Amino acid sequence: MPSLKALRTRINSVKSTRKITQAMKMVAASKLKRAQSQAEQARPYAERMERMLGALAASVAGSPIAPPMLVGTGKEDVHLLVVVSADRGLCGGFNTAVSRFARNRTRALIEQGKTVKILTVGRKGRDFLRREYRKNIVGSIDFVGRKQIGFEDAVEIANQVTEMLEGQQFDVCTLIYNRFKNVITQVPSEQRLIPASIEGAPTETAGGPRAAYEYEPGEEEILAELLPRNLAIQIYRALLESAAGEQGARMTAMDNATRNAGDMIARLTLNYNRQRQANITKELIEIISGAEAI
Amino acid sequence: MAEQTTLEIVGPTRLLLSEPVDLAEIPAYDGYIGVLAGHAPMIATLRGGLIRVHQGGAVTKQLYVGRGFVEIAPDRCTVLADEVIPAEELSAETARTRVAEAESAYQAAAETRDADEIERAIMRLAAARAMEEAARR
């Protein structure tokens, strides 16, 4: 049985831990709100971009002018995985989930005989993947010490990917990130970036007559400008979703931690009081038996 | 009032404007185009410049847009721009530094003799000049 003093220190230390987790939960909650609204505001742009791209893709479909960013290089040998994780820990299984997903994907691709290159965004994913696939990582980006992610950051990543595509360093590019399902659930998911996956295009034939657009300048030039931007906006969206998810995960994790700390304090306090009682009883017995002996 | 078309101006980080307008002047690739309701469907790139919104015969709003795209349909006109700044918030100083930067970028591009590079630099310079001009007013 630990002494009274030891118990007292223990209780105090758990109490201060609880204070910290409680504060972190509060901070995460307010950051979550900000991240969510940022993600929301980026949505209209992405939606309209998709619509435009759908129209354009339908009009160049099958023609030889379609650029590699839209239709790929025609091969599927080299895969580039862009893995988005958080920079900081203490957010439950958030980073592990997405890193493990990326690792399994990498393993599966290598088993199929493909070459895999990894570009990590976020410190935690890099640290995790470096253990097993150090030589596959071709680059890593992190936002350590940054308060908010801006569109420029996404553009930077997109430029890096574009450069690699132009240098024919990969055939297929996939984005792996934590999709924000709701505050407590984030789903590790993947999205193909190159060749571009366009949801609007297949409905073309089924969904009634669509107006034929005029293009100024030509389709090719517009696509050449639109595709890199589309890439950037897809990455931006993933970054924002991941950022919101991170805060959500942290909030849940810290909420649990706060509750566990509370339980622990209750248990320790009970122990402490029992011990105190036992000590008093023991002292009384000593005094009484001492008095009787005289 | 005649028919109106819905003008939407969207930046990467937010939706800036979404309202029915009489006429919108858009700085498209080959020069300004005026968009009225019932315009033929069209997709064009933007060259950077001022969008002017006309309402009831007068210009009600002016916004500077950077590079981007415009999608026009008979009942709507959607502008997707990298950068959108309401004319009131433009500063002459930023515009001047932009022009200076674009000019030196053009000089650098001219030396490489790469046609694409030069064209890109020209577009950038034009956008910067448009911003400067917009800021002066």
Side-chain angles (χ1 to χ4, degrees), chain A residues 38 41-46 48-49 51-52 55-56 150-151 211-217 221-223 225-227 229 233 236, chain B residues 8 10-15 28-31 33 40-45 67-73 76 78 80-82 123:
Chain A
Q38 208 188 346
Q41 284 178 327
R43 204 158 298 153
Y45 191 85
R48 286 168 182 81
M49 177 73 88
R51 194 174 64 199
M52 242 189 245
L56 271 163
F151 185 57
Y213 285 97
E214 263 175 56
Y215 297 99
E216 181 189 309
E221 287 89 345
I222 298 184
L223 268 180
E225 284 215 31
L226 194 67
L227 286 170
R229 278 196 185 71
I233 198 81
Y236 185 54
Chain B
E8 284 181 319
V10 197
T13 51
R14 65 195 170 117
L15 180 73
Y29 178 75
D30 273 334
I33 49 176
M42 174 173 173
I43 292 180
T45 53
R67 308 294 305 281
F69 309 90
V70 56
E71 182 200 11
I72 302 167
R76 63 183 150 80
T78 311
L80 290 184
D82 294 354
M123 291 297 264

Side-chain angles (χ1 to χ4, degrees), chain A residues 47-95:
Chain A
E47 276 167 8
R48 286 168 182 81
M49 177 73 88
E50 213 159 89
R51 194 174 64 199
M52 242 189 245
L53 200 57
L56 271 163
S59 89
V60 296
S63 78
I65 61 160
M69 208 182 263
L70 184 67
V71 295
T73 52
K75 287 180 293 184
E76 271 193 12
D77 297 339
V78 186
H79 284 251
L80 176 71
L81 302 180
V82 181
V83 184
V84 182
S85 66
D87 286 326
R88 303 207 288 156
L90 289 179
C91 44
F94 182 82
N95 289 314

Side-chain angles (χ1 to χ4, degrees), chain B residues 36-132:
Chain B
L36 289 158
H39 194 289
M42 174 173 173
I43 292 180
T45 53
L46 297 178
R47 63 145 117 214
L50 267 190
I51 291 186
R52 266 198 280 262
V53 179
H54 292 252
Q55 206 78 275
V59 177
T60 51
K61 272 197 195 98
Q62 301 196 42
L63 296 107
Y64 169 83
V65 290
R67 308 294 305 281
F69 309 90
V70 56
E71 182 200 11
I72 302 167
D75 57 342
R76 63 183 150 80
C77 170
T78 311
V79 175
L80 290 184
D82 294 354
E83 195 181 20
V84 187
I85 309 169
E88 311 84 69
E89 289 169 28
L90 281 175
S91 106
E93 208 162 309
T94 357
R96 261 196 298 277
T97 42
R98 285 276 191 100
V99 172
E101 272 171 24
E103 263 164 7
S104 57
Y106 172 72
Q107 295 293 343
E111 269 162 39
T112 61
R113 297 190 177 281
D114 176 352
D116 284 349
E117 194 93 348
I118 294 176
E119 170 145 1
R120 229 171 295 152
I122 291 176
M123 291 297 264
R124 187 172 157 193
L125 186 56
R129 289 229 170 100
M131 188 179 181
E132 191 187 26

Side-chain angles (χ1 to χ4, degrees), chain A residues 83-86 93-103 125 128-129 176-178 188-189:
Chain A
V83 184
V84 182
S85 66
F94 182 82
N95 289 314
T96 330
V98 74
S99 306
R100 199 170 289 154
F101 186 84
R103 187 190 63 192
F128 183 96
L129 291 169
I176 294 178
Y177 67 105
N178 266 315
S189 25

Side-chain angles (χ1 to χ4, degrees), chain A residues 85-136:
Chain A
S85 66
D87 286 326
R88 303 207 288 156
L90 289 179
C91 44
F94 182 82
N95 289 314
T96 330
V98 74
S99 306
R100 199 170 289 154
F101 186 84
R103 187 190 63 192
N104 294 343
R105 202 78 185 81
T106 312
R107 196 174 287 159
L109 284 170
I110 288 175
E111 270 166 21
Q112 287 167 30
K114 317 273 190 203
T115 314
V116 180
K117 292 179 176 177
I118 304 173
L119 174 68
T120 61
V121 180
R123 197 164 58 92
K124 287 285 168 183
R126 183 194 66 197
D127 292 350
F128 183 96
L129 291 169
R130 206 157 50 175
R131 259 174 264 154
E132 247 176 286
Y133 296 106
R134 178 180 271 276
K135 54 187 187 312
N136 297 68

